[in-house]
Amino acid sequence: MPQDLFSTTDSVTSPSRDWFDIAPSDNADLSFVPKAIFIGTGGDLVVSSASSNSEVIFRNVPSGAVLDIRPVAVRETGTTATDLVGLI
């Protein structure tokens, strides 16, 4: 299970104080649950929910978008968006 830095030391709604590159994976969860994800190069994004572990596809996300979502995983299969950055 990913470590959630916001449960005691920060607010989900406060600005991000750090970030990390996201490499989509079908087998591994993210190291941290992000506040949001920056999409560098647009496309589809397959994510797994932090609360229910259900997967959903965000289709046609434009380049430069910031999705205010908190997934536990970004899946490689089906994800065409690239240059992903987790905001924490």
Side-chain angles (χ1 to χ4, degrees):
M1 185 57 91
Q3 181 182 3
D4 188 348
L5 298 177
F6 312 110
S7 63
T8 58
T9 61
D10 199 357
S11 168
V12 172
T13 59
S14 63
S16 299
R17 299 188 312 176
D18 207 352
W19 39 87
F20 63 98
D21 288 329
I22 293 177
S25 172
D26 289 336
N27 302 313
D29 287 344
L30 298 171
S31 300
F32 302 100
V33 175
K35 292 182 181 187
I37 296 178
F38 172 80
I39 311 298
T41 303
D44 294 347
L45 187 70
V46 179
V47 294
S48 186
S49 168
S51 62
S52 67
N53 253 357
S54 61
E55 291 188 0
V56 68
I57 302 172
F58 287 88
R59 297 199 183 275
N60 301 312
V61 180
S63 297
V66 175
L67 293 180
D68 294 327
I69 58 173
R70 302 194 65 220
V72 294
V74 175
R75 299 301 177 207
E76 184 174 8
T77 300
T79 293
T80 59
T82 59
D83 305 314
L84 307 173
V85 179
L87 305 176
I88 54 175

